[in-house]
Amino acid sequence: MPEEIVGKVSHFFAQPVVVGIEISGVLKVGDQIRVKGHTTDFQMVIESMQIENAIVQEAKPGDSVGIKVPERAREGDTVYRITD
């Protein structure tokens, strides 16, 4: 499936399992993403995301968002949006 880069992981928080992502593309709730790095590789659908503790439906380049993830990610991992 085609993928486009939409950001990089800037922070990882273990409790709750959340990543901070610096957005370089457009990302919306409902998008399927892939987080890939040296030891990371998983896919998920975004169920919700926040900017500075406010729930948002869409993030644009320059935004920094928080997203719950199913497993550990690392700073510097690349975030791709899977396109159909």
Side-chain angles (χ1 to χ4, degrees):
M1 289 189 280
E3 300 174 340
E4 66 175 318
I5 295 174
V6 291
K8 290 260 184 209
V9 174
S10 57
H11 295 88
F12 173 77
F13 304 95
Q15 294 295 334
V17 183
V18 170
V19 292
I21 301 172
E22 294 294 328
I23 301 295
S24 61
V26 175
L27 198 58
K28 299 177 182 176
V29 171
D31 283 348
Q32 184 170 3
I33 62 170
R34 179 180 184 191
V35 180
K36 184 161 174 42
H38 182 66
T39 58
T40 309
D41 192 356
F42 64 86
Q43 294 182 23
M44 61 170 283
V45 173
I46 297 174
E47 295 179 4
S48 70
M49 58 184 166
Q50 296 184 350
I51 297 176
E52 295 185 13
N53 297 319
I55 295 172
V56 295
Q57 296 299 309
E58 180 176 300
K60 297 182 173 81
D63 288 342
S64 181
V65 300
I67 298 174
K68 281 190 178 182
V69 292
E71 58 188 78
R72 181 174 179 79
R74 287 153 185 82
E75 291 182 13
D77 287 354
T78 303
V79 181
Y80 300 88
R81 184 169 57 87
I82 298 172
T83 58
D84 295 327

